[in-house]
Amino acid sequence: MKKAISPELGRAAMRALFIERSPLGPLKVMAKHVGRFFQIPLPMFKPYVVFGPEAVRKVLVTERHKVLWRNTDPVTDLLDRGVLIVDGDEHDHYRKLMEPPLHPARLADYTQMMISQTDRVTSQWRDNETVDMLIESRKIALLIIMQTLFSRDAWDDLPHIWNPILKAIEYISPGAWIIWRNMPRFGFRKPLKELDDYLFGIISDRRQKIEDRLSPTVHGQNDLLQHLIDAGLTDKVIRDQMLTMLIAGHDTSTALLAWVFALLGLHPETLKQVINEVDTTDKPQLLDHVIKESLRLYPPIHIGNRRIAEEMDFDGDKVPKDERLFYSIYLTHRDPEIWENAEDFCPERFAHGRKTPPMSYIPFGGGPRSCIGAALGQAEARIVMTRLLQTFNFEPVNPFQIHPHMGATLEPHPGVMMKVKRRTVISNQ
Ligand code: HEM
């Protein structure tokens, strides 16, 4: 049952905030001392938090009719009718339209392009230069998502869209608006308008190409943009889906790639083994386990955000209608009742098949609204990591300074600095 939060617990939470430099610290304190159900006691912001397989299954599967994805917050302001934040038939309609180009069977179509886009970014690196893998990963992920979903080679666009995209991400990241919902927010109007103009430009180019019968296909198949246009959606609704997919599809992959580098930087033995593996095999198993373990320890989307449409009950603890509920992926992934040595980096835990209960490993959510890009995101991480490790040596510069930061995703801050040097022998995929 729900426990009152004592002053001692409040102090422990504050200490954890200070030590871990992130709200993840206090969340762990609450989880440890209160349990799998608690309420965050902030002024004007008191969301309920649940974690663990039973609660997660309720939210994502068995009682999902009691929750809404749509809230009133900056995410909704920015993405409006985007598939991520609409409910019911409207959601199902958009989701169905966007599934075919993201189907696992299509992934092979994108492999070579992912390698080329990775090479394009690394072609700018100079030997012994220190690069920030958080930034470099974002470049790679942006080029890949633009090409995969909209058949847009965004290389020349990067300098123009970089700041607008970062501003869009900042706009939806947690901030003081959580407590002061209608606070004035300056500096966003112009870059967000530039991003809109860019997306509307891509839509009108495509409509023109369709008129001229020049619409692009990948191996004879339509891309996501073409599916949206063919369905007869308005430019505005297409823009909402494009911006949703652009952000959801690259900010997550950016965080994942950067975390994999951060963790390999802390574990040089594993890094050595992974390099050996990508040099000698076509199907790198250890790399796969490292990616999985990275998603467990630092899930880019660390919580799912819901609004309660009908009172919910978690083992006697109630969440009333209209309240905000978070299901915590982060806490589920670090629950010591489920995971042995939950706080440790241990890729081998994935080596012998799954031993944890269903809904205890949920980096892509679960149920009918699980991540639409899960297969793409995992393939991308594998392909990009393999290519990077085959072509460059990476020497970590700041491994012990890195800590998680809660932006729109969970990111490694202050960045993942790596000294890079091109390898003399370049092996092929
Ligand atoms: C490593 C990469 C990725 C991670 C960790 C990730 C994680 C997630 C998670 C946890 C959810 C569920 C959130 C919830 O229950 O509230 C989700 C949903 C979603 N993701 Fe991803 N994602 C990734 C890549 C992608 C990619 C590549 C795309 C697009 C191409 C994408 C598009 C979406 C969309 C549209 C949804 C909402 C689905 C719906 O509501 O029907 N994601 N993602």
Side-chain angles (χ1 to χ4, degrees):
M1 288 296 252
K2 193 168 141 192
K3 289 188 205 156
I5 292 168
S6 65
E8 267 154 72
L9 189 54
R11 279 195 293 277
M14 287 311 289
R15 255 196 321 276
L17 179 66
F18 184 71
I19 294 167
E20 295 213 9
R21 289 180 279 174
S22 140
L24 293 171
L27 280 178
K28 276 195 275 187
V29 168
M30 298 288 283
K32 186 167 173 205
H33 295 283
V34 185
R36 288 175 166 182
F37 179 101
F38 56 87
Q39 198 175 1
I40 295 179
L42 283 174
M44 319 281 287
F45 185 66
K46 302 188 187 306
Y48 291 81
V49 179
V50 294
F51 68 96
E54 295 79 18
V56 168
R57 181 177 296 100
K58 253 187 195 184
V59 177
L60 294 177
V61 184
T62 50
E63 296 190 14
R64 66 180 191 280
H65 57 281
K66 294 187 179 171
V67 302
L68 295 170
W69 272 249
R70 196 167 184 81
N71 258 300
T72 49
D73 56 26
V75 184
T76 311
D77 294 346
L78 184 72
L79 305 178
D80 196 14
R81 310 311 310 174
V83 63
L84 185 69
I85 37 119
V86 288
D87 292 289
D89 291 346
E90 184 180 8
H91 163 270
D92 298 351
H93 177 52
Y94 303 148
R95 172 127 188 168
K96 216 162 166 207
L97 289 175
M98 293 195 271
E99 271 169 350
L102 293 166
H103 193 276
R106 290 287 306 274
L107 294 179
D109 299 346
Y110 309 132
T111 307
Q112 204 47 52
M113 174 273 289
M114 289 181 183
I115 294 172
S116 312
Q117 298 295 21
T118 306
D119 287 349
R120 254 165 140 190
V121 171
T122 60
S123 70
Q124 312 251 300
W125 295 355
R126 299 288 152 254
D127 273 354
N128 298 317
E129 172 186 20
T130 295
V131 296
D132 182 348
M133 288 312 295
L134 185 58
I135 295 176
E136 301 305 302
S137 300
R138 187 179 301 285
K139 292 180 195 164
I140 297 170
L142 268 174
L143 292 172
I144 290 176
I145 206 75
M146 292 297 297
Q147 190 82 58
T148 307
L149 303 182
F150 318 135
S151 306
R152 174 81 171 200
D153 178 356
W155 181 252
D156 291 333
D157 305 337
L158 276 188
H160 318 293
I161 60 174
W162 189 260
N163 184 50
I165 286 176
L166 290 184
K167 279 301 207 187
I169 292 168
E170 186 188 332
Y171 187 75
I172 58 176
S173 296
W177 59 262
I178 287 182
I179 293 171
W180 181 12
R181 173 68 186 96
N182 292 320
M183 70 178 278
R185 302 186 69 192
F186 301 107
F188 291 100
R189 212 174 48 84
K190 189 164 166 276
L192 295 184
K193 163 90 170 53
E194 282 167 7
L195 195 51
D196 275 352
D197 290 347
Y198 176 68
L199 296 176
F200 283 123
I202 294 177
I203 300 169
S204 78
D205 280 359
R206 180 61 63 86
R207 290 202 191 277
Q208 189 58 51
K209 283 207 175 85
I210 295 170
E211 240 169 62
D212 300 341
R213 295 180 193 284
L214 292 172
S215 177
T217 61
V218 184
H219 297 273
Q221 305 251 27
N222 285 336
D223 64 8
L224 182 127
L225 174 57
Q226 191 67 34
H227 282 278
L228 296 173
I229 290 182
D230 290 348
L233 303 183
T234 63
D235 284 8
K236 161 67 174 59
V237 172
I238 294 175
R239 169 270 181 207
D240 293 348
Q241 309 316 322
M242 287 174 79
L243 188 54
T244 302
M245 300 303 273
L246 174 60
I247 293 179
H250 100 275
D251 202 29
T252 46
S253 294
T254 300
L256 172 56
L257 289 167
W259 275 118
V260 171
F261 274 103
L263 287 166
L264 288 176
L266 278 174
H267 299 89
E269 262 315 303
T270 311
L271 174 59
K272 239 191 252 166
Q273 288 168 16
V274 175
I275 293 170
N276 181 45
E277 196 189 53
V278 298
D279 284 350
T280 52
T281 67
D282 283 342
K283 286 203 176 1
Q285 292 269 304
L286 178 59
L287 174 60
D288 211 40
H289 300 149
V290 167
I291 292 170
K292 285 202 169 85
E293 181 69 340
S294 174
L295 284 168
R296 183 185 74 83
L297 283 170
Y298 298 106
I301 305 293
H302 63 95
I303 51 156
N305 184 1
R306 300 290 186 273
R307 189 153 58 85
I308 299 298
E310 187 186 325
E311 185 183 77
M312 286 186 84
D313 181 304
F314 294 91
D315 268 343
D317 288 313
K318 311 257 188 246
V319 184
K321 183 172 177 312
D322 290 331
E323 293 293 327
R324 196 182 276 258
L325 174 79
F326 294 144
Y327 79 89
S328 174
I329 297 173
Y330 181 87
L331 293 175
T332 305
H333 284 182
R334 288 179 182 241
D335 189 334
E337 284 181 30
I338 298 170
W339 302 93
E340 213 175 298
N341 303 322
E343 298 290 318
D344 296 349
F345 173 75
C346 178
E348 303 78 38
R349 70 172 82 241
F350 290 101
H352 312 293
R354 293 267 300 276
K355 282 194 199 122
T356 56
M359 292 288 171
S360 54
Y361 183 67
I362 43 165
F364 297 98
R369 288 193 71 160
S370 64
C371 178
I372 194 174
L376 180 76
Q378 287 168 98
E380 177 181 349
R382 229 172 11 245
I383 292 163
V384 172
M385 281 307 305
T386 300
R387 187 61 175 178
L388 289 172
L389 295 174
Q390 283 174 339
T391 48
F392 277 84
N393 281 319
F394 293 86
E395 196 186 305
V397 174
N398 66 339
F400 298 103
Q401 286 161 20
I402 298 169
H403 62 96
H405 167 78
M406 267 190 202
T409 56
L410 204 58
E411 280 185 352
H413 267 226
V416 184
M417 309 312 289
M418 289 275 174
K419 196 161 129 186
V420 290
K421 186 152 191 244
R422 188 174 288 280
R423 295 179 65 185
T424 41
V425 181
I426 299 178
S427 44
N428 284 317
Q429 277 272 106

